Amino acid sequence: KLDNVSVQTINLPVTVVGHISLSDSYLSMQVGETKSLALTNTLASTDYDTITWSSTDSAIARINSNVHSETSAIIEARDTGTAVITATAYLAGHVVDQASCTVSTNGSLVMDQSTKAISVGSTTTLTCTNTLSPASYSSLRWTSNDATVCTVTSFSGNQCQITGVAAGTATITVMAVDTDSSLVASDICIVTCS
């Protein structure tokens, strides 16, 4: 006969075979842009019962609640900054595995007008709205794809002066470039001269 014997249940750790992973560990996005993250899942179906998506700051990078599943999610860049998107696999409310992607949003570069009409010989100003992070680019450049129709006579920062040269259509482009001249962001305005 045994007296004062207590029985204790010990939960041994369960070894999970497989894991989840994301198609990207880092995304650089412009405000207003959307990108897809794909999830690869090699977990056994008995090792998890649900996969959820979360963002550390939905004001910066939000998961589209209407377009996500256990295999992918659409990420929306909403404001400048950094947020971490995480996919988490659960079994009975307990975390089985996680995979994360850091999203860095850099703002955008948008022409205030997408089209502009000017007279031959006249000069006018084009302006762009720049919400890019200053650390994300080195300088802004303005160019015309046809200087025989419309030429960029001068520019400074978010504004440029253009002059109509001859009847026709030209595309004026504003570009944010890095120190190695790689393109960070751009937008265009179609100018019609008559």
Side-chain angles (χ1 to χ4, degrees), residues 108-112 125-132 137-143 152-162 172-177 185-187:
S108 61
L109 191 64
V110 180
M111 285 281 199
D112 291 353
T125 300
L126 292 181
T127 305
C128 70
T129 298
N130 181 7
T131 59
L132 294 169
Y137 71 101
S138 175
S139 62
L140 293 183
R141 297 178 185 173
W142 295 78
T143 63
V152 175
T153 53
S154 65
F155 63 87
S156 177
N158 295 355
Q159 292 187 332
C160 85
Q161 297 285 325
I162 59 171
I172 304 299
T173 303
V174 58
M175 299 177 291
V177 295
S186 67
D187 199 15

Side-chain angles (χ1 to χ4, degrees), residues 9-124:
T9 300
I10 300 175
N11 295 318
L12 297 175
V14 177
T15 301
V16 175
V17 177
H19 65 281
I20 60 174
S21 61
L22 297 179
S23 53
D24 296 276
S25 60
Y26 177 82
L27 288 176
S28 177
M29 301 175 66
Q30 307 298 323
V31 170
E33 186 179 9
T34 61
K35 285 189 177 181
S36 176
L37 270 179
L39 183 145
T40 300
N41 181 5
T42 60
L43 293 170
S45 59
T46 54
D47 285 340
Y48 77 101
D49 52 32
T50 186
I51 292 176
T52 64
W53 295 82
S54 62
S55 171
T56 55
D57 194 336
S58 293
I60 293 173
R62 178 176 66 181
I63 299 157
N64 188 314
S65 59
N66 298 317
V67 193
H68 75 281
S69 64
E70 289 193 352
T71 58
S72 67
I74 300 297
I75 311 304
E76 302 172 343
R78 305 184 67 200
D79 200 356
T80 56
T82 302
V84 177
I85 304 297
T86 302
T88 304
Y90 291 94
L91 179 62
H94 298 285
V95 175
V96 175
D97 196 14
Q98 288 185 315
S100 297
C101 173
T102 299
V103 178
S104 177
T105 56
N106 294 318
S108 61
L109 191 64
V110 180
M111 285 281 199
D112 291 353
Q113 295 173 282
S114 58
T115 60
K116 183 77 173 178
I118 65 172
S119 301
V120 172
S122 67
T123 298
T124 190

